[in-house]
Structures are given as C-alpha cells and as structure tokens.
C-alpha cells in the first residue's frame, strides 16, 4: 500500500551536517521515513537525506508518527552500526542549549572520527556529448566538454581546479551544456576516511591433520604450515602463517584447494594498548575513610537512582583505589563506566593502573591516538565489548548504552572546558548525566574548584572527604598493608632576600642545596614552572611591588611592540584587561624607588640548562608541550621516570596533575608568582591548586621528602594555604573575594571575544556590542546584570589579529532562557566568540 504525502507517516527529525544549517532551528529538518527503512531506523542513526540539490548526512534526533505533507523521503542509512545512544542524544541537546551552540556541532563529537562522508555534485559527458563537434561550442563550454571526454566524470571541485574561471562562469557553462543534452549531473559519495581494518585468516579445516601430513610428503612447506596451524590451536593471520613457515601464496591456495585449511576475513581492532604490559596489581585494603566513601557511593550505583558526589581527598589519599573498586562494582552489575582525565599526560598513567585491573574491558579515547584507534574504541564501546572507557574531555560523548558510573578525575582542571566550539564544560555536562539517566557521577580532586566545593557545602553535591595520605608496602604475610604518611613539609623562600644577599640565580640557595642532597642520595627531583602564557606583569625585585589598576585592582598587563609578546622585548604600555585603563610602564618602582623593576618571565628550557650547569652529571629532562610531542611521548617520559632513567624532571602543569612518581623526594617551584598576578579572577585559585598538586608529587612512598616554593609574594593567602596544605583556609579567603565581586559561584559570566586584522575595527566592534548590551540591560531594568569592558584581551594580538573582549556578568540564578533571550536580541554576531561560563578571561 502506497502512502500519500498528506497521510500520517513515520517522520524523522534530522540534524544535518551542512553549512546551510543555521542556529535559528539548529539545523533540524524533517523527513518521511520510507516503508523499507521503518524497521531499521532508530533515534541516533546516521543517515543520508536530501537537502536542496544535495545529499547530506545527518543524525536522527526524533521519530514520530505525524502528518508528512510536503516532506521529502529520507534516503538511506549510512551504517547500521553508526548509532548514538539515546542518553548521549539527550546530553547533546543539553550542551547545545546551555552553551548556546549548534546541536550539529555537539553531535559531531558523538560520532567516531573519519566516518562523516560528503556527497559531491559531478558532471559527465552524455553519449551525445561524446560525439558532439567541439568546434561549434563557445570556448568555456568547449573546454569543459573536452576535459570531461578526456578524464571522465568529474566533481565541480575537480573542474574548478583544472579550468580557469569564476564559479559563476563555470556554473553558467554547466547549465548551457546540460540544456543541450551534452553533459548530465551526477553524485559521487566519497568513501569514509576511516573504516574497519580486516585481515585474512587461515584455519585448520581437517580433524585428522596427521593423516593429511602423509599426503604432503612432497610439499614440506605446506606440511610445515599445516603442522604450525595445528599447534596454534585456533585460526591465525595469514601473514603470521607465511612468516612462520616461509609458505608462499601459491602453497596457501594449494592447501585451500585440497580442503586442508579454510581462508576467511575477520575484523582486527587497532589497539593502542597492545604493547602495554602493566605490572601485577594487588588491591590494598581500604582505610576507614576510603571504605566509608566507597560504601556511600556504591549505594546509589546499586539502586540506579543516580548520585552526584565530590570526593575531596588530599594528594596520595587513595582516591584512585576508590575509583577502581567503584568501576569493578559497576561492571559486576552489568553497567559500563567512564573515567575522564584532564590531559593525555594523566591518561597515560591512569591507563596503566586500570589496565592492570580490567584488561581487555578497557578502551581509551583521546586526541593522542590515531583516527583508526579511536574509531575501533568507539565501536567496541557501542557494541558493549568494552565496558570501561578512559579519556579526555570529549570521551564524555563516547557511545555507552549501559552507562552507570562517571568519574571526573582532577575535576578542578580548566582543560575540561573546551576552548573551541562547542565551548562546553565536561565536568558540568557529566553532572547533568545524573539527572538525565540516573548515572552515578563522582568528581574527585585534592583541590576542588571553588564552584564545586561551594555546591557541596550548599548540598547540591554530596561531599566525601579523605583527610589522610596513605602509603602501602608488602608485609611478611605477602599482603599489601597501608599506613598513614605525612604530607611533605613545604618551605617558602622569599626571593627578595636572595637578591639582597647577592644571589642572582633562578635557584635560591636553599633549593640548590636541596637539589645537591637529593641527587647525592640517588633520588629524583621535580622542578615546576607555572608558565601559563607570556610575560604577564611588572614587578619590583626588591619589595615585590606589582603594578595594579587603580580602578578595579586587577594587575596591569605588559604589552609589547612586537607581535610575539615574548619577554625580553621592550614594553611600551600597561593595560587593565578588566576595564581598559592604560598607564605608562614605570622605570622605577613607585613603592620603594628601586630601579630593579622587571617583567616576569622564565621558561622550562632555561631552567633545565641551569640545572645542567650546576650538576653536569645529572640526567635532566623536560616535560612540557614543546618537548612531549608525538603519540607516545607522555608514556615514554613516565616510563623513564619510573625506571630511574631521569634524575631531574623540569616541567609545566603536566607534571603537577595526579602523577604517581614514587621516587620523587624533592619538588621545587621555580617561581610561584607567574600565575598569581594574571588578570583573571581565578588566578589565586589556579596558583593554590597548582602548588598543592605539584607539592603532592613528593613523598608518596616515603617520609623523607620536601617541597620548596620560591616567590616574591610570600604573604599571599594562596601561597600560605599551600604551605600548610590547608584547602579550607584558602577556600575561606577565596569565597569572600568571589562574594564581594559577584564572581562565580555568586554570578555567571558570558564572554564575547572579537578579532580583526585592524585594531581600530576590533575596538569599534567591541564598543558597539557593549553599547547594545548596555541598552538591553537598561531597557529591561535587569537587576544584577553588569557589563565589564570593552577592553583588549590579555593575548592582545594572535596570528596577526587584534583581540578585544566584553564580559557580561549576570546573577547566579539566571536561567538559560534569560541568557538566550539576551543573545538572540543582539541578533547574529558574525565573527564573535560567545563563551558561556568561561574558565578564564585572558
């Protein structure tokens, strides 16, 4: 029975992958599902649909029986296995709404890499065109027809590359030739960039293979191949068979013809863990605090009601062991689990520990893998063959149809917020899963974000605490026993006094002596440099004065004549990046009149060279984004540290985050001030978190460890709290500062960033937007809405383009609808970046 177009039919709402999708309707188009696809189609499938004159791919986000009047038919499924689970579709909707971004862009994160295909328009000569006299055509049409006759069917892109002329001229010529019946339009679908890998396999096809050997007396290599296959006991890759026995392809075919072996193809997963051999893992007994935390969380896991937990455990308190046990329980309950880590460097060590417990049930997802490896991991998870996924931010969108547990390790890390569209925060999106699907979500950190700890104090998260560092050792009974360990003592060194005593080195006397002692004992040292960005502020090396804005107290930022903005070039002005106020860079300190007023700046390379000069025999390595390049760079550095092939490791934030390095006895912070005075309201929080985290790398197996922090601001509350390992003291100071200025969690921020090749154009656009926003606020008398700026961005010029930004601060209880109404009222903002709830305003 044929349906009429005005009858009730199954209608699919599809989010298409096409530039024509606009935010007004999120690129959602409706199509009628043909009868032959009704039993095959489901929400989440990737499908082909018509859009104008093209075929495009899209994801089905809804299926309903409703009138289909005027709707075009959906064309086909792309691949029945390419299906996004319903929970992930729901999460994508939430992300698109919350962060004012395209649903299509979010759904792109939900698909494996390299699978989206393009259907391109092509032209080919007809039979008449192949016979037509070319001399009777205008020059442009003659060139096109001649090229098609010579090269066969071509896409418009291919023709544009081969033939000169504008797109408009070429399209006019195509139409003219088509009207003459000399060429006809077609469609070519490019193959997916990534596909399953397959290999040929040989399998023994006879039960009595020993008798078969008797028939192969005159073919010794074939006999050897048959015997080798029998010894293996199961099907083997054909390449391995030929390599082991020296049999050529003709011999393989001969064995197949005689019915001795069977050849077939099978899929082979590209496994990044294939060479990983984790050490044996013996679970240690839980402490009383660990057991209480585990039992509290596991209750919600078993009931399936969902729960939102903040696990606040000091460094070395055994958070990872709780993660491992929760995952094991989730797997026993038939659920899947997801672990998020902030960076690839952390992922490498987590994978080692988790692989030791869960083996082949583990799949890894992060940008350091090849597209093929990520594609295979995606399919294993979607099929349920892998039950545990570990990855960075985007792993949140992995296809886990039976998800029961999500763990966000180091939840405070800013890298969980995407700095490119869609600008979502993975931690906040993970928490939303607790409401969407009854998922148990655990946020873990030794230094929770202020927002998370405030939410826990307010009862929106269940706070669990591990206040004691623990160590483990094998007892005489052969079992692992835990014992309490003290946190390493932290010493703050005032670099102003070092200068007064004539020490101009980047190392204080105390740190030099500690390094010498550590190396003499055969122990390892970490030297940490917080280099978040370029040289950032002017300070006095005698009294510690930092140039601040008189209007808003933010540090004034140095701007340089050269585009690079590197330390060492002449500074001309200081700018406040909150209000735009400018000042002349001082040449003498206005506080103590010293001429030793400098731009702060140092790098890991300089620090590493200084260590080599002081200790020529020390094995020194760097761990930062410049040195840790390549697919396995982080894993190799980690292995080298664990194998004691490195004595001193110099690094940036990568070495401060959750690494378990048992032989590190000294941590030195070269300069704590670098991030302390960045023009960002989170600068104090970031500094405290980094110092506390990097201090936690020391003394994780023994009590003879120390931490030395060098600074020109020894009295800053963030440094004092880090010295005492006192999160509560830091939180009290920080939350008071946030409350006074209505910064998160007492307000929300929306950041607008514009860039242009002209600074004047950039400034005018920022001023125009600020005027429009101020008018919107004033017309509606919006209480608590405040504009900050416009002002130049901290990184004022990037890649030849000037950058200005505007900040809109709104009350903490502002709804998504209210924020969307304001953004919609501004109209389209081409060229603007809109970042809702930014984690930094640089």
């Amino acid at each position: 029975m044929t349906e009429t177009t005005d009858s009730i039919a199954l209608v699919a709402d599809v989010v298409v992958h096409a530039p024509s999708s606009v935010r007004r309707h999120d690129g959602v188009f409706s199509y009628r599902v043909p009868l032959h696809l009704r039993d095959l189609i489901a929400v989440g499938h990737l499908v082909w649909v018509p859009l104008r004159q093209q075929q495009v791919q899209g994801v089905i986000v809804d299926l309903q029986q409703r009138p289909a009047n005027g709707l075009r038919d959906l064309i086909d499924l792309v691949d029945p296995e390419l299906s996004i689970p319903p929970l992930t579709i729901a999460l994508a909707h939430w992300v698109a709404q919350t962060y004012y971004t395209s649903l299509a862009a979010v759904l792109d994160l939900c698909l494996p890499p390299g699978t989206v295909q393009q259907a391109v328009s092509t032209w080919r000569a007809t039979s008449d065109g192949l016979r037509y006299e070319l001399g009777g055509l205008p020059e442009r049409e003659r060139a096109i027809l001649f090229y098609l006759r010579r090269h066969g069917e071509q896409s418009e892109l291919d023709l544009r590359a081969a033939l000169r002329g504008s797109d408009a001229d070429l399209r006019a010529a195509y139409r003219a030739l088509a009207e003459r019946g000399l060429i006809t339009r077609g469609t070519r679908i490019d193959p997916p960039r990534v596909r399953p890998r397959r290999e040929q396999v040989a399998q023994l096809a006879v039960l009595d293979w020993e008798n078969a050997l008797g028939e192969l007396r005159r073919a010794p290599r074939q006999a050897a191949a048959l015997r080798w296959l029998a010894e293996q006991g199961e099907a083997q890759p054909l390449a391995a068979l030929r390599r082991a026995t020296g049999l050529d392809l003709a011999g393989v075919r001969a064995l197949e013809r005689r019915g001795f072996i069977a050849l077939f193809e099978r899929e082979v997963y590209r496994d990044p863990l294939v060479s990983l051999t984790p050490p044996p893992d013996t679970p240690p007994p839980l402490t009383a605090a660990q057991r209480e935390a585990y039992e509290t969380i596991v209750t919600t896991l078993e009931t399936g009601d969902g729960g939102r937990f903040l696990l606040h455990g000091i460094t070395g308190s055994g958070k990872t062991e709780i993660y491992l046990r929760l995952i094991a329980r989730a797997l026993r309950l038939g659920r899947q689990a997801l672990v998020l880590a902030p960076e690839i460097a952390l992922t490498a060590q987590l994978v080692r520990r988790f692989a030791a417990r869960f083996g082949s049930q583990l799949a890894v997802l992060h940008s350091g893998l090849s597209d093929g490896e990520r594609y295979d991991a995606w399919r294993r998870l979607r099929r349920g063959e892998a039950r545990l996924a570990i990855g960075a931010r985007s792993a949140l969108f992995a296809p886990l149809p039976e998800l029961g547990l999500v763990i966000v390790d180091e939840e405070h890390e800013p890298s969980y917020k995407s700095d490119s569209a869609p600008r979502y925060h993975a931690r906040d999106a993970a928490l939303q899963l607790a409401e969407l699907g009854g998922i148990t979500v655990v946020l873990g950190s030794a230094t929770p974000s202020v927002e998370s700890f405030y939410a826990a104090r307010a009862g929106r998260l269940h706070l669990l605490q591990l206040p004691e560092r623990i160590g483990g050792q094998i007892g005489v009974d052969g079992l692992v026993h835990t014992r309490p360990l003290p946190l390493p003592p932290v010493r703050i060194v005032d670099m102003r006094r070092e200068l007064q005593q004539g020490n101009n080195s980047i190392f204080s006397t105390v740190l030099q002596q500690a390094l010498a002692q550590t190396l003499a004992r055969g122990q390892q040292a970490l030297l940490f440099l917080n280099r978040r960005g370029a040289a950032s502020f002017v300070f006095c090396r005698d009294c510690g004065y930092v140039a601040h804005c008189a209007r808003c107290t933010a540090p004034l930022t140095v701007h340089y004549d050269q585009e690079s903005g590197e330390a060492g070039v002449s500074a001309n002005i200081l700018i406040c990046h909150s209000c735009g106020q400018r000042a002349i860079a001082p040449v003498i300190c206005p506080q103590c009149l010293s001429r030793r007023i400098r731009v702060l700046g140092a790098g890991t390379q300089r620090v590493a060279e200084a260590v080599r000069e002081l200790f020529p025999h020390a094995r020194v390595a760097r761990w930062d984004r410049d040195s840790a390049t390549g697919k396995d760079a982080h894993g190799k550095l980690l292995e080298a540290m664990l194998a004691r092939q490195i004595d001193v490791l110099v690094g940036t934030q990568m070495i401060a985050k959750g690494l378990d390095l048992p032989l590190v006895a000294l941590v030195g912070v070269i300069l704590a001030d670098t991030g302390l005075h960045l023009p960002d309201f989170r600068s104090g929080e970031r500094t405290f978190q980094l110092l506390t985290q990097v201090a936690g790398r020391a003394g994780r197996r023994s009590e003879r460890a120390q931490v030395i922090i060098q600074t020109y601001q020894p009295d800053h509350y963030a440094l004092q709290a880090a010295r005492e390992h006192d999160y509560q003291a830091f939180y009290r100071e920080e939350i008071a500062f946030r409350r006074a200025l209505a910064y998160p969690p007492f307000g929300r921020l929306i950041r607008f960033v514009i860039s242009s090749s002209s600074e004047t154009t950039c400034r005018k656009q920022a001023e125009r937007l600020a005027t429009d926003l101020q008018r919107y606020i004033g017309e509606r008398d919006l209480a608590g809405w405040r504009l900050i700026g416009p002002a130049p961005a901290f990184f004022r010029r990037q890649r030849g383009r000037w950058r200005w930004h505007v900040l809109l601060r709104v009350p903490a209880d502002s709804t998504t609808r209210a924020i969307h109404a304001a953004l919609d009222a501004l109209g389209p903002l081409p060229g603007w970046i809109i970042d809702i709830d930014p984690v930094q305003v640089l």
Side-chain angles (χ1 to χ4, degrees):
M1 177 179 174
T2 304
E3 294 179 329
T4 60
T5 56
D6 58 352
S7 65
I8 299 296
L10 184 61
V11 175
D13 289 336
V14 179
V15 176
V16 301
H17 299 278
S20 54
S21 359
V22 293
R23 201 199 175 287
R24 181 173 54 85
H25 53 43
D26 257 338
V28 179
F29 296 88
S30 296
Y31 297 91
R32 186 173 62 173
V33 179
L35 287 173
H36 70 281
L37 291 177
R38 282 194 172 186
D39 294 334
L40 304 175
I41 291 289
V43 170
H45 267 133
L46 188 64
V47 293
W48 285 106
V49 295
L51 183 67
R52 299 189 178 93
Q53 304 301 315
Q54 298 179 311
Q55 291 183 32
V56 297
Q57 287 185 346
V59 175
I60 298 176
V61 293
D62 194 20
L63 282 170
Q64 290 184 0
Q65 292 282 346
R66 66 175 192 257
N69 186 33
L71 296 183
R72 301 169 75 179
D73 278 359
L74 183 147
I75 298 172
D76 204 355
L77 276 169
V78 173
D79 181 343
E81 285 200 64
L82 289 180
S83 175
I84 303 171
L87 178 63
T88 311
I89 295 284
L91 180 64
H93 277 289
W94 182 87
V95 168
Q97 285 294 313
T98 302
Y99 298 100
Y100 199 72
T101 192
S102 160
L103 181 56
V106 184
L107 289 173
D108 279 344
L109 300 175
C110 305
L111 292 167
T115 55
V116 176
Q117 299 168 259
Q118 299 292 325
V120 297
S121 295
T122 62
W123 292 99
R124 61 179 176 82
T126 63
S127 56
D128 289 342
L130 293 172
R131 297 191 300 267
Y132 196 82
E133 176 57 48
L134 293 175
L137 293 172
E139 180 180 356
R140 172 72 62 206
E141 297 173 33
R142 182 168 64 247
I144 292 171
L145 185 57
F146 175 76
Y147 193 84
L148 291 176
R149 282 162 62 162
R150 184 171 184 179
H151 296 281
E153 187 172 10
Q154 298 289 309
S155 70
E156 291 187 359
L157 186 64
D158 297 333
L159 290 167
R160 189 185 307 124
L163 305 171
R164 294 179 180 178
S166 67
D167 286 343
D169 288 344
L170 288 170
R171 289 195 185 101
Y174 300 149
R175 285 195 299 270
L177 286 168
E179 288 170 359
R180 290 190 177 97
L182 302 179
I183 65 174
T184 185
R185 184 188 291 273
T187 300
R188 183 183 74 208
I189 297 176
D190 292 333
R193 187 164 45 85
V194 182
R195 285 177 283 189
R197 174 182 288 177
R198 305 189 70 82
E199 68 177 4
Q200 271 202 311
V201 174
Q203 185 175 34
L204 202 64
V206 290
L207 295 177
D208 192 358
W209 61 272
E210 293 180 344
N211 283 339
L213 289 177
E215 302 179 32
L216 296 173
R217 293 190 187 92
R218 303 182 64 180
R221 287 191 177 178
Q222 293 181 32
L226 201 63
R227 184 180 293 106
W228 185 81
L229 272 178
E231 291 170 353
Q232 304 309 308
E234 58 183 16
Q236 295 294 317
L238 183 60
L241 169 67
R242 295 183 59 188
R243 188 168 52 250
T245 63
L247 187 65
D248 59 17
L249 191 58
V252 171
R253 296 299 181 195
L255 286 173
E256 184 187 26
R257 283 195 305 271
R258 301 179 73 167
F260 293 160
I261 65 171
L263 300 179
F264 58 94
E265 280 193 344
R266 69 180 177 192
E267 184 177 341
V268 181
Y269 287 131
R270 287 155 283 206
D271 185 4
L273 308 181
V274 67
S275 61
L276 183 66
T277 54
D281 179 60
T282 304
L286 297 181
T287 65
Q290 284 179 309
R291 181 161 298 281
E292 181 180 353
Y294 168 76
E295 290 177 351
T296 302
I297 298 170
V298 86
T299 299
T300 65
L301 184 61
E302 291 173 342
T303 59
D305 295 332
R308 295 148 60 105
F309 298 90
L310 175 61
L311 182 60
H312 177 205
I314 65 171
T315 56
S317 59
K319 294 185 293 295
T320 305
E321 182 59 34
I322 294 177
Y323 300 161
L324 290 164
R325 299 204 181 204
L326 288 171
I327 292 166
R329 184 61 182 150
L331 300 189
R332 287 196 299 270
L333 292 170
R335 310 296 294 276
Q336 290 174 299
L338 169 65
V339 179
L340 297 183
E343 299 217 8
I344 298 171
L346 263 186
T347 307
Q349 186 161 51
L350 278 176
V351 166
R352 287 170 54 90
R353 290 200 63 182
F354 283 67
R357 294 271 180 103
F358 303 111
S360 62
Q361 298 183 86
L362 175 64
V364 182
L365 288 165
H366 58 71
S367 59
L369 305 176
S370 70
D371 284 351
E373 287 169 337
R374 285 189 290 157
Y375 173 82
D376 286 348
W378 192 96
R379 294 171 72 245
R380 288 182 63 219
L381 291 166
R382 188 66 181 88
R383 292 170 172 176
E385 296 171 6
R387 309 298 296 175
L388 167 63
I390 297 180
R393 183 178 59 228
S394 60
L396 181 68
F397 300 97
L400 297 160
E402 298 170 308
L403 182 63
L405 173 68
V406 176
I407 293 167
V408 183
D409 192 31
E410 308 294 348
E411 66 84 25
H412 63 276
E413 280 297 328
S415 55
Y416 280 124
K417 179 69 187 286
S418 173
D419 57 3
S420 60
R423 290 177 170 79
Y424 67 98
H425 200 303
R427 177 199 63 209
D428 297 342
L431 288 172
Q432 183 64 19
L433 285 172
E435 296 183 17
L436 292 173
I439 310 299
T440 296
V441 180
V442 181
L443 311 182
S445 176
T447 55
S449 66
V450 170
E451 290 92 331
S452 293
F453 200 75
Y454 180 80
R457 296 281 292 267
R460 294 193 297 274
L461 299 176
H462 189 147
L463 179 62
L464 300 167
Q465 295 185 302
L466 302 176
E468 189 175 60
R469 170 177 275 204
I470 56 174
Q473 61 184 15
I474 305 295
V476 293
D477 56 2
L479 300 176
V480 177
H481 295 267
T482 58
R483 61 187 178 92
L485 280 178
L487 287 165
V490 178
R491 180 172 180 178
I492 293 181
V493 178
D494 188 343
M495 295 300 284
R496 296 171 300 183
R497 294 184 180 178
E498 291 287 319
L499 285 169
Q500 292 167 2
Q501 295 168 4
N503 180 10
N504 293 315
S505 167
I506 59 176
F507 300 128
S508 63
T509 304
V510 172
L511 183 55
Q512 289 186 42
Q513 292 173 351
L515 267 173
Q517 293 168 1
T518 301
L519 294 173
R521 290 196 298 262
Q523 297 172 315
Q524 293 175 316
L526 293 184
L527 296 181
F528 170 70
L529 181 62
N530 180 12
R531 286 282 290 151
R532 294 185 59 80
S536 53
F537 62 94
V538 166
F539 78 108
C540 175
R541 298 188 74 178
D542 284 328
C543 72
Y545 163 81
V546 174
H548 283 80
C549 172
R551 289 171 57 187
C552 62
T553 71
L556 291 171
T557 302
V558 180
H559 284 270
Y560 302 101
D561 291 330
Q562 295 186 11
E563 182 176 326
S564 64
E566 293 285 342
V569 295
S570 299
N572 51 359
I573 57 173
L574 301 175
I575 300 177
C576 172
H577 293 271
S578 292
C579 68
Q581 182 175 336
R582 299 174 179 230
I584 298 173
V587 294
I588 63 172
C589 174
Q591 186 164 285
C592 72
L593 304 182
S594 169
R595 290 189 173 274
R596 295 201 294 182
I597 189 164
R598 298 287 186 269
V599 171
L600 191 64
T604 53
Q605 187 172 8
R606 178 185 169 194
V607 173
E609 290 170 355
V611 174
R612 293 187 183 100
E613 290 172 5
L614 286 171
F615 306 101
H617 300 296
R619 296 168 295 179
V620 183
R622 289 166 52 208
W623 193 339
D624 55 29
R625 293 192 186 280
D626 295 327
S627 59
T629 59
K631 179 179 174 182
D632 300 318
H634 300 286
K636 289 178 180 176
L637 277 167
L638 180 60
E639 292 286 353
M641 281 294 290
L642 295 175
R644 304 185 69 170
Q645 297 168 0
I646 297 172
D647 298 317
V648 181
L649 182 63
V650 180
T652 56
Q653 297 175 55
M654 290 181 175
I655 68 171
K657 301 174 182 178
L659 295 175
D660 188 3
L661 303 171
L663 301 176
V664 170
L666 170 66
V667 168
V669 177
I670 302 302
L671 197 59
D673 307 48
T674 310
L676 198 57
H677 295 291
L678 288 173
D680 187 289
F681 73 94
R682 298 183 196 271
S683 61
E685 179 183 21
R686 294 279 181 261
T687 299
F688 170 78
Q689 288 168 339
L690 281 168
L691 293 180
T692 303
Q693 292 281 345
V694 75
R697 301 315 107 205
R700 296 177 73 90
R701 296 295 186 276
S702 66
E703 300 177 12
R704 296 182 61 188
Q706 59 180 320
V707 179
I708 297 171
I709 298 176
Q710 302 182 158
T711 178
Y712 289 90
Q713 296 283 306
D715 297 324
H716 194 283
Y717 70 89
L719 273 65
Q720 289 296 321
R723 182 181 66 179
E724 301 299 328
H725 302 281
D726 192 344
Y727 178 84
Q728 297 286 352
F730 160 76
Y731 177 79
R732 286 192 295 271
E733 293 279 353
E734 186 70 15
I735 204 70
F737 159 69
R738 302 278 185 95
R739 182 182 285 110
L741 297 179
Y743 279 127
F746 302 102
R748 296 183 67 187
L749 295 177
I750 298 102
R751 187 185 187 211
F752 302 84
V753 183
I754 186 66
S755 63
S756 172
S757 56
S758 163
E759 184 179 19
T760 302
T761 300
C762 197
R763 175 177 55 81
K764 287 181 177 179
Q765 286 184 283
E767 291 171 347
R768 189 180 305 119
L769 177 65
T771 301
D772 292 344
L773 279 167
Q774 197 63 61
R775 184 185 304 114
Y776 180 88
I777 294 169
E779 288 174 351
R780 289 156 182 81
D781 193 22
L782 296 172
W785 289 51
R786 183 190 167 192
L787 212 58
I788 303 173
F794 172 70
F795 298 108
R796 192 180 182 190
R797 199 176 187 194
Q798 288 183 337
R799 299 180 182 178
R801 295 182 68 82
W802 298 91
R803 301 169 72 247
W804 277 61
H805 63 170
V806 179
L807 287 176
L808 175 61
R809 192 169 63 200
V810 302
D813 59 356
S814 299
T815 64
T816 297
R817 179 175 297 180
I819 294 172
H820 281 205
L823 297 176
D824 289 340
L826 296 173
L829 294 174
W832 281 91
I833 291 172
I834 301 173
D835 190 0
I836 295 177
D837 298 328
V839 296
Q840 54 85 15
V841 292
L842 301 177

